[in-house]
Amino acid sequence: MADYIYTLETRLSPDQQKAVALVQDAARSAGMNLYLTGGAVRDIISGFPIRDLDFTVQGSALKLQKDLERVGATIGDADDESKTLLLTFPGGVRAEVAMARSEQYEKTGKPPLIAPATIIEDLRRRDFTVNAMALSLNEGSRGLLMDPFNGVADIEAKLIRVLHNYAFLDDPSRLIRATRFSTRFHWPLEERTQLRYDAAKEGGYIEHIRDSSIGYEIEQLAYEDDPVSILKAYEKEGWLKLLNPHWSAARVDAGTLSTLMKTRQQMNELGYVPDVAPAVLYFLTERLADKDVSEIRRAIPRKDLVEAWKDLEDNAKELAKRLSGKEAATPSRAWELLSSARPEMILFLAVTARQQAVVQKIKNFFTKWRQVQQKIPLPEMTELHITPQWPQYAKIAHDVFLRLLDGKLRSRTETLRFLKPLAPPPPPPPPSPPKRGRGAKAAAVAAAAALLGAKGKAKGKSAVAAAPPSPAKPEAAAKPTAVAKPKESDKKPAKKSGHKSAKPAKSAGKTKSKSKGKKKKKEKKKKKR
Ligand code: ATP
Ligand code: MG
């Protein structure tokens, strides 16, 4: 059990972990049991990248919509029939929250009868053993794996296996899904599953696929790392024409898609995480007629994905225009413009731009300009006390970077000349370390004596400076600046005078009492007389 908590925490990205925490909170306040299910569990266990999060709740997921929106999730679709939410969490984390349900298939091609169910019943309606596992996200059993079909064994054996003999008959879209997983993971179908698959193919079950499944499976293509190989496999198996009758692998610009994925990888390495899905759909369908593209768009359930795809071209054109205009006339301005642009737009433009000026600026943004950062003289800045702890640091470092980009600071000397007047005043020297043992005792006596001496005099500055700030001593507290910022000239003599005044103070006390005694004796003598 503990193993899966650890795996959950180490395999999910920080943004995915945050999304899990948000769904957990929402489910807990709604009093619903929550599980991580489907591909997320498969990928956590198998070690493949976790592309999206599939959650299942016992109860209607639609009840969580408002709570999840409040914490920053955007809703791509809310299906009233299956009570499922399609969401995107901050950081571009795609998720699905579904109601645990049972499905009863009466006739091929007809939607199943749906009823709310327990998590175990829900796992029975799933497509393949490797996708039919659930990981508890509930207090007290967090990390507990439910695996009624021994999916872990099939992950180890690298096999795609259906849960029962009617899997493809009940829902022919599972044929497409089997091809997709088998191509993506390079896992073959288990022997009997293969027989059922072949029989279903022969029997033309796919003709009975539901419209909603077509849209769902088209959308899934957008999230593949190698969509072209999946598309080719669909074509070979005869599934592609079902998704759209005019689609073919030959109509897809495989070269551009490959550049798109490489550029995304390059951006990931630089810390940008663009959502590539809208661009994948753009290039997969670029050579289809408008009518077909509109049909595909209508079929896709996630409406925010469709909107992002639609906006891609116009937004990229707008960015290209700005990049080739006055607004980006200097490297620093182009840098600022690209830094504030959405990573999706930069990615799309990087692949589609034809104007040399635009192409070059994006290229520089990824490479040459970034290297200029290394010219910022960090060691010298530290010497000048321009360090990240200083509030002005980020602004100054950025300013230097922009000036270096534009060639306004051409050498280290010029850069330092620019930096010096911006440096903060030097910090005060550290307080002298407290003394130990006999030395400390002596110092304490000296400090006390200095304080006494100071009281005796007219509260000398040096004495206050030497005394440690103590709330019990109003004299010291009354002069916080003197304590907080001791001047060297004040501090050193104070120590000395402390030592010196220690003895005289004592002797002064003695002489006083001696002279008092003499006075009393004289007075007694007078009285006697
Ligand atoms: P990935 O998201 O990595 O492509 P996935 O397995 O998560 O793979 P999804 O399409 O996100 O696939 O579906 C989530 C889960 O829902 C699946 O793992 C499976 O358990 C279930 N599921 C989806 N479609 C079907 C289906 N047609 N029949 C049965 N179960 C399905
Ligand atoms: Mg999934």
Side-chain angles (χ1 to χ4, degrees), residues 158-438:
K158 302 187 193 313
L159 285 176
I160 308 288
R161 185 196 305 264
V162 284
L163 304 194
H164 52 79
N165 289 342
Y166 302 102
F168 295 125
L169 191 66
D170 282 350
D171 181 355
S173 77
R174 292 172 186 162
L175 292 164
I176 299 179
R177 296 175 63 81
T179 305
R180 178 152 65 86
F181 294 126
S182 175
T183 310
R184 189 203 299 166
F185 299 127
H186 305 286
W187 293 354
L189 303 192
E190 169 272 336
E191 211 180 316
R192 280 167 62 129
T193 303
Q194 184 69 57
L195 289 176
R196 300 280 162 206
Y197 178 95
D198 294 340
K201 201 170 149 187
E202 191 109 320
Y205 292 8
I206 199 71
E207 297 296 333
H208 301 289
I209 188 171
R210 276 178 287 146
D211 286 350
S212 59
S213 301
I214 291 179
Y216 190 85
E217 292 308 321
I218 293 176
E219 183 186 315
Q220 298 307 309
L221 271 173
Y223 309 133
E224 290 292 334
D225 281 340
D226 187 0
V228 176
S229 69
I230 307 277
L231 204 94
K232 280 183 181 163
Y234 284 177
E235 190 167 43
K236 186 166 161 272
E237 294 300 304
W239 314 142
L240 191 56
K241 58 179 183 290
L242 262 298
L243 299 185
N244 183 276
H246 303 113
W247 226 343
S248 74
R251 282 192 156 190
V252 169
D253 183 354
T256 310
L257 269 160
S258 151
T259 313
L260 180 79
M261 293 309 188
K262 276 186 206 143
T263 312
R264 182 206 25 188
Q265 179 60 27
Q266 195 184 359
M267 289 181 74
N268 285 164
E269 281 157 21
L270 295 173
Y272 299 92
V273 193
D275 176 10
V276 76
V280 169
L281 287 175
Y282 178 93
F283 293 116
L284 282 177
T285 59
E286 198 188 2
R287 293 173 186 169
L288 289 180
D290 288 351
K291 189 176 139 284
D292 291 313
V293 173
S294 306
E295 223 162 76
I296 289 174
R297 283 178 177 170
R298 260 198 308 278
I300 289 177
R302 247 182 219 268
K303 296 305 165 210
D304 52 349
L305 169 63
V306 175
E307 288 310 310
W309 169 15
K310 278 187 192 165
D311 291 346
L312 214 47
E313 223 169 336
D314 287 347
N315 285 347
K317 259 188 205 155
E318 167 77 19
L319 180 60
K321 201 172 142 201
R322 290 172 71 188
L323 266 178
S324 47
K326 250 190 190 173
E327 197 183 342
T330 59
S332 66
R333 284 179 174 195
W335 172 273
E336 296 281 66
L337 179 57
L338 282 167
S339 298
S340 64
R342 278 175 39 219
E344 287 77 18
M345 292 305 127
I346 303 175
L347 172 63
F348 185 71
L349 205 53
V351 179
T352 54
R354 297 282 165 266
Q355 267 174 288
Q356 201 43 42
V358 174
V359 173
Q360 196 55 46
K361 278 173 190 164
I362 294 179
K363 202 174 159 203
N364 288 344
F365 180 69
F366 287 152
T367 55
K368 199 172 119 188
W369 291 344
R370 225 154 268 274
Q371 286 151 15
V372 170
Q373 279 166 337
Q374 285 157 13
K375 288 192 192 162
I376 300 175
L378 295 178
E380 288 87 344
M381 281 170 76
T382 309
E383 270 171 34
L384 288 168
H385 307 291
I386 305 175
T387 56
Q389 292 78 31
W390 196 40
Q392 319 283 329
Y393 173 82
K395 194 190 165 298
I396 292 177
H398 188 63
D399 222 17
V400 169
F401 171 63
L402 295 183
R403 281 163 193 269
L404 286 166
L405 267 186
D406 289 344
K408 286 182 182 164
L409 299 173
R410 278 163 301 173
S411 65
R412 194 155 275 253
T413 324
E414 270 186 35
T415 309
L416 291 179
R417 203 175 301 141
F418 170 77
L419 280 168
K420 266 179 194 155
L422 302 174
S432 46
K435 289 180 182 172
R436 292 185 178 195
R438 283 171 64 193

Side-chain angles (χ1 to χ4, degrees), residues 1 30 34 78 96-97 117 123 138 189 270 289 345 357 382 386 409 419 422 442 479-480 483 494 511 519 527:
M1 188 160 117
L34 172 73
E96 181 181 315
V97 188
L123 294 178
N138 303 299
L189 303 192
L270 295 173
M345 292 305 127
T382 309
I386 305 175
L409 299 173
L419 280 168
L422 302 174
K479 294 214 171 193
V483 174
T511 46
K519 259 187 182 177
K527 274 183 184 174

Side-chain angles (χ1 to χ4, degrees), residues 35-39 54-57 96 98-101 103 119-134 149 161-164 167 174 177:
Y35 303 87
L36 193 64
T37 44
D54 306 302
F55 298 97
T56 303
V57 282
E96 181 181 315
M99 171 186 76
R101 62 179 190 261
E103 288 182 351
I119 185 67
I120 296 291
E121 283 170 299
D122 178 277
L123 294 178
R124 270 191 216 123
R125 61 122 188 133
R126 306 259 166 179
D127 49 0
F128 308 110
T129 57
V130 294
N131 290 345
M133 294 178 282
F149 298 97
R161 185 196 305 264
V162 284
L163 304 194
H164 52 79
R174 292 172 186 162
R177 296 175 63 81

Side-chain angles (χ1 to χ4, degrees), residues 4 7 11 40-48 133 145 152 155:
Y4 289 111
T7 325
R11 292 290 329 282
V41 180
R42 178 200 62 222
D43 296 339
I44 281 176
I45 294 172
S46 64
F48 280 99
M133 294 178 282
L145 182 74
V152 170
I155 287 179

